[in-house]
Amino acid sequence: MSILVTGGAGFIGSNFVLDWLAQSDEPVINLDKLTYAGNRENLQSLNGDPRHVFVQGDIGDSALVADLLAKHQPRAIVNFAAESHVDRSIHGPEDFIQTNIVGTFRLLEAVRAYWGGLQSDARQSFRFLHVSTDEVYGSLGKDDPAFTEAHRYEPNSPYSASKAASDHLVRAYHHTYGLPVLTTNCSNNYGPYHFPEKLIPLMIVNALAGKPLPVYGDGQQIRDWLYVKDHCSAIRRVLDAGHIGEVYNIGGWNEKPNLEIVHTVCALLDELRPRADGKPYKEQITYVADRPGHDRRYAIDARKLESELGWKPAETFETGISKTVQWYLDNQAWVSNVQSGTYREWLEKNYTGRNA
Ligand code: NAD
Ligand code: TYD
């Protein structure tokens, strides 16, 4: 038995693979294109481990996926592969359409053919778990109730629209062809191996480098934060016990405005790695022009997952963010290795001349 994980060299995917193999000897076939966001260094501790088979390739490469399925006969697929950064989707949506929509479609087609050819037992126990986001539900007002699984889809960025399209395809493959799918929609993750283009790792890395901490707009946009390892445990739980065709929201009940997040990161760094001049890191905060179409608030109602499948996060925001800041302090080599030329080009494109 084995599982096929796509996008397993990215932030959440690599945490998932590491956690999976820390708890089980069931092999993982890891298919990842290694875009700018994919990093084999995240999986370095698995070098030489026969339980981890890494394949560099695209979920949209139908022949490659068909070959992998035929060769390894996985009992499940967990689909993390995606373009995942909203700001990049604003600058260039094409890759998001190609991977998140066309790629997911091709993956589903290859999986449908493979699943259709399985023996009855294997066919029944097979699962396709699609990893999605709360951003497909759109933006909430200050006093609106949190997103349930029944909330209508109202995606507002090219990223969330492409993820919404992929969710719809997954749903359609269940209703039309009977493919045994599960979909999870999770809130914002943070933790180890998070690429420093996203809010929390960008703030840690910039703070330590003495650079400005760019807060978009008024910094009062609210996100609901979940420690990445809790997302991974929720996915494992849904894979084990989720009901076919169902959607599960995953969240940590941790709504926070962005400015509060940045202040928390600064305060932790003040304590753990004080600035040489003794001043607080929050002096580096700079307000920059807002993101176009910026969603004001996300909040996840995770009661279905908690009550039906008995899942609970292990970390509070306070414990998770301390671990995260400490991880970045302990892994400065990883941080400097991801700051390639293309990373610097991205910072240039997104932040230069972006005055409030
Ligand atoms: P990431 O950008 O860090 O990693 C994505 C990975 O997918 C990379 O390793 C990349 O090389 C790979 N990839 C991209 N295109 C591919 C393709 N065509 N074929 C194969 N591999 C490809 O993303 P992440 O933050 O780890 O997110 C993983 C999944 O979780 C995504 O589907 C995302 O929408 C979803 N999600 C993310 C968050 C979050 O806060 N990061 C929250 C909820 C859901
Ligand atoms: P991000 O980490 O990009 O995740 P998402 O847009 O998918 O929620 O951003 C989290 C929040 O932080 C979002 O409201 C945008 C904001 N933000 C900043 O204020 N400054 C930044 O430099 C970045 C990258 C994000």
Side-chain angles (χ1 to χ4, degrees), residues 104-150:
T104 304
F105 157 70
R106 296 219 179 111
L107 179 65
L108 283 165
E109 275 293 272
V111 171
R112 178 165 78 92
Y114 162 71
W115 172 74
L118 291 175
Q119 301 289 329
S120 140
D121 278 3
R123 223 175 116 86
Q124 279 204 349
S125 58
F126 182 81
R127 297 288 183 271
F128 180 95
L129 192 153
H130 180 60
V131 179
S132 192
T133 164
D134 59 0
E135 304 194 23
V136 297
Y137 298 126
S139 184
L140 291 168
K142 195 162 70 66
D143 299 318
D144 290 340
F147 300 128
T148 67
E149 291 78 2

Side-chain angles (χ1 to χ4, degrees), residues 6-13 31-39 57-60 79-85 99 103 131-134 159 163 185-190 193-195 197-198 231:
T6 72
F11 163 47
I12 307 172
L31 172 64
D32 195 295
K33 189 177 173 181
L34 295 182
T35 66
Y36 78 91
N39 184 353
D58 193 322
I59 55 166
N79 183 33
F80 292 98
E83 288 294 334
S84 70
H85 190 31
T99 283
V131 179
S132 192
T133 164
D134 59 0
Y159 164 64
K163 289 298 289 187
N185 293 86
C186 189
S187 58
N188 283 57
N189 285 214
Y190 65 99
Y193 305 113
H194 205 182
F195 192 74
E197 63 182 357
K198 306 277 171 73
H231 186 189

Side-chain angles (χ1 to χ4, degrees), residues 3 23 98 115 176 254:
I3 63 165
Q23 301 184 17
Q98 282 310 326
W115 172 74
T176 306
N254 276 312

Side-chain angles (χ1 to χ4, degrees), residues 162-352:
S162 66
K163 289 298 289 187
S166 68
D167 294 8
H168 292 324
L169 285 168
V170 170
R171 176 189 161 90
Y173 271 64
H174 173 63
H175 282 266
T176 306
Y177 304 114
L179 194 71
V181 307
L182 297 157
T183 298
T184 56
N185 293 86
C186 189
S187 58
N188 283 57
N189 285 214
Y190 65 99
Y193 305 113
H194 205 182
F195 192 74
E197 63 182 357
K198 306 277 171 73
L199 179 73
I200 290 179
L202 182 89
M203 293 299 159
I204 301 171
V205 167
N206 278 14
L208 291 171
K211 291 189 188 161
L213 307 179
V215 171
Y216 297 169
D218 62 2
Q220 293 308 314
Q221 302 82 5
I222 291 173
R223 298 292 182 263
D224 188 348
W225 295 92
L226 183 68
Y227 190 62
V228 63
K229 288 176 184 298
D230 283 327
H231 186 189
C232 296
S233 75
I235 292 171
R236 290 197 304 275
R237 184 70 195 132
V238 173
L239 191 59
D240 276 354
H243 300 292
I244 289 174
E246 291 287 314
V247 173
Y248 296 90
N249 281 354
I250 307 175
W253 306 99
N254 276 312
E255 285 184 59
K256 310 256 182 227
N258 293 338
L259 196 58
E260 188 181 324
I261 298 285
V262 179
H263 278 142
T264 303
V265 166
C266 289
L268 281 164
L269 287 172
D270 287 339
E271 192 187 312
L272 297 167
R273 184 69 52 89
R275 263 171 53 158
D277 61 7
K279 292 188 174 156
Y281 282 100
K282 68 177 182 209
E283 288 198 356
Q284 288 166 234
I285 292 175
T286 41
Y287 290 89
V288 302
D290 208 352
R291 172 190 279 173
H294 198 170
D295 284 340
R296 199 70 189 162
R297 174 176 166 238
Y298 304 140
I300 277 280
D301 182 333
R303 278 177 296 179
K304 178 177 174 183
L305 177 60
E306 290 170 356
S307 63
E308 287 185 17
L309 304 186
W311 172 85
K312 268 201 177 21
E315 304 293 340
T316 62
F317 185 71
E318 289 64 35
T319 60
I321 194 71
S322 301
K323 285 185 181 179
T324 303
V325 170
Q326 190 62 55
W327 187 88
Y328 280 86
L329 289 172
D330 293 343
N331 289 276
Q332 287 294 303
W334 182 91
V335 171
S336 65
N337 290 345
V338 296
Q339 293 180 311
S340 62
T342 50
Y343 174 72
R344 288 193 296 274
E345 275 165 34
W346 164 252
L347 295 182
E348 206 37 49
K349 190 191 250 183
N350 196 42
Y351 296 100
T352 303

